[in-house]
Amino acid sequence: MFERSHRALYAAFDRFPSRKGAAIHIDRFARTLFDVFDGGALFVLGENHLPRHQRDGNVEIVRFVSDIDNFLERSMSFTAALARAVDELAPALEVAHFRDPWSGAAIALRPHDYACVYEVNALPSIELPVVFDAIAPRTLDKIRALERACCDAADVIITPSHTTAAYLDSPKVRVIPNGSDLDTPKPRPIDEQYLLYFGAPQAWQGIDTLLRAFARLADFTQLRLAIIGSHESRAWRSYERLAEKLNIADRIIWKFAMDEPELSAWRQHAYLSVAPLTDCPRNSVQGCAPLKIVESMGSGTAVVASDLAPVREVITHRENGWLVHPERPDELARALRILLDHPQLVRDLGVRARETILRDFTWNAALAALRHVYEQWSADVPSAASGRLARSPLGRRARRSPAAAGTAALRDSEEIEC
């Protein structure tokens, strides 16, 4: 699997690379981990067009590819494959960073003497019922137990949202907010004035609310709505059909899987960027930290977003953005209309948005905080007293094996179509 030993491992049940926010996180965080530990191993999901094994300097990448349709069966297969990789890597490992309980089952829930960092951006026990409405309560209970076990086993838990931190309610949690780079000027992608949504098509994104609000702006005949999907999928077809039903299909620009330089141009020249998140457990209880918001603000583009607790961590209404009640197309349309009628206000919001990012939400600041987490366990980082940072005396701790705590915990769950 991996061809050499490594001091650091980063594992994620996410496709990498991709244009999804998860892949952006993986790129930034894994690079920081591997910089501290002079390289490392990256274990992620792949696709048939990507190499299953890849070397990138002192970083070794293994991609797990499976044709299993059932989500839970696929996740269990991923856990088993990662467990085999950890068996090979464990003797040299000093830090293992994971983003999900499927990875945590193979990394943290086993006897180990490496440090475990659990990055909680999302919890399957909260998100899966939205995606798979047939999932059984008993299955969700087992997933919650797996998530709790990973939190208990981790040495530190990091999350980008104070809302998520409050939900996890653990002294191990450290909040490291999402970051953004400040965009450099780029040519305008189209001549028309446009509103922008970019991201994924999940129901909690509130795209249907945006489409219904945009339909209420029919008198702005030259205005366009640009929807830039992180990837193409069948999920977008339902929104295309809704646009046709609302008679706005000819005013929408659909784009997919843009490279960052091209997406950057669309962000910085949008009249407004819109993040119409729904008020659902995934956003309001678990918490979220949408990159679309901080990236738009980093472009100097004013953002209209749903008034939710995690959004208020970044946006203050009428100061550096505009907040509206979620899932109310009429209210969103009124807000857009006000801002379309007051371009100077929009410019001022965009300027203050960019100032907010520069002050509080740069990637440099986020990754410096993350680096500090990793350096606790790196023997290569000097200390003031001895010239070396003594590695934390973690000791080998008895954990349940991945089979007992992870895959087997789900194997007897009700059969569901995921």
Side-chain angles (χ1 to χ4, degrees), residues 313-354:
E313 295 178 29
V314 185
I315 292 179
T316 300
H317 182 49
R318 293 179 181 247
E319 290 187 17
N320 62 353
W322 202 275
L323 300 178
V324 298
H325 289 100
E327 301 168 70
R328 298 186 185 179
D330 284 337
E331 182 174 338
L332 178 56
R334 283 195 298 272
L336 295 173
R337 187 176 293 277
I338 290 170
L339 295 170
L340 285 163
D341 287 338
H342 294 84
Q344 186 57 52
L345 171 60
V346 172
R347 286 191 288 271
D348 291 343
L349 291 174
V351 168
R352 291 194 289 271
R354 189 177 172 91

Side-chain angles (χ1 to χ4, degrees), residues 2-277:
F2 288 102
E3 295 177 348
R4 50 161 289 195
S5 62
H6 296 279
R7 298 168 58 204
L9 166 67
Y10 191 110
F13 189 68
D14 291 290
R15 287 181 179 84
F16 180 83
S18 78
R19 268 304 307 162
K20 294 180 65 176
I24 296 172
H25 260 275
I26 293 168
D27 180 64
R28 300 285 184 156
F29 281 26
R31 285 179 186 275
T32 302
L33 174 64
F34 299 151
D35 181 58
V36 172
F37 287 90
D38 191 28
L42 179 64
F43 193 95
V44 291
L45 293 182
E47 295 178 326
N48 288 327
H49 69 278
L50 294 170
R52 300 198 181 195
H53 182 272
Q54 181 180 350
R55 294 292 296 270
D56 183 6
N58 57 2
V59 175
E60 192 174 359
I61 304 170
V62 169
R63 294 184 176 91
F64 173 81
V65 179
S66 171
D67 58 0
I68 300 172
D69 291 331
N70 183 282
F71 178 88
L72 288 181
E73 291 179 2
R74 188 166 66 252
S75 67
M76 289 187 290
S77 181
F78 173 88
T79 298
L82 177 57
R84 292 192 295 272
V86 176
D87 285 340
E88 299 173 2
L89 295 171
L93 274 183
E94 297 175 27
V95 171
H97 179 134
F98 58 95
R99 279 180 53 94
D100 48 80
W102 325 120
S103 301
I107 290 172
L109 305 186
R110 60 185 289 143
H112 62 271
D113 58 2
Y114 46 80
C116 292
V117 179
Y118 186 9
E119 178 190 343
V120 181
N121 289 277
L123 295 164
S125 63
I126 291 179
E127 293 197 351
L128 287 180
V130 181
V131 181
F132 306 118
D133 56 10
I135 194 165
R138 189 161 69 96
T139 302
L140 291 176
D141 288 342
K142 293 186 177 186
I143 294 173
R144 288 189 197 96
L146 180 58
E147 292 165 349
R148 287 194 297 270
C150 289
C151 287
D152 290 342
D155 294 282
V156 63
I157 303 166
I158 58 175
T159 181
S161 168
H162 288 279
T163 303
T164 309
Y167 178 79
L168 295 173
D169 190 24
S170 168
K172 299 178 183 179
V173 174
R174 302 185 190 184
V175 176
I176 301 180
N178 278 338
S180 174
D181 295 320
L182 300 182
D183 285 340
T184 56
K186 293 181 175 60
R188 189 176 181 89
I190 59 173
D191 293 332
E192 295 99 326
Q193 186 180 75
Y194 61 94
L195 311 177
L196 174 66
Y197 170 87
F198 65 98
Q202 298 101 328
W204 59 69
Q205 302 286 1
I207 301 170
D208 56 337
T209 298
L210 174 57
L211 293 175
R212 296 179 192 280
F214 187 66
R216 289 161 168 79
L217 302 175
D219 50 315
F220 289 87
T221 56
Q222 302 305 307
L223 182 67
R224 298 289 180 264
L225 172 60
I227 297 181
I228 302 176
S230 55
H231 63 288
E232 286 198 71
S233 74
R234 289 177 294 179
W236 292 108
R237 304 292 85 81
S238 64
Y239 297 121
E240 292 174 354
R241 289 192 294 270
L242 178 58
E244 292 171 358
K245 181 179 177 181
L246 295 171
N247 295 317
I248 57 174
D250 60 340
R251 299 170 57 206
I252 297 180
I253 301 167
W254 300 92
K255 300 281 186 179
F256 299 97
M258 279 188 181
D259 292 335
E260 173 55 26
E262 186 179 5
L263 178 58
S264 172
W266 282 88
R267 274 199 310 264
Q268 65 184 253
H269 292 288
Y271 188 81
L272 294 164
S273 181
V274 188
L277 297 161

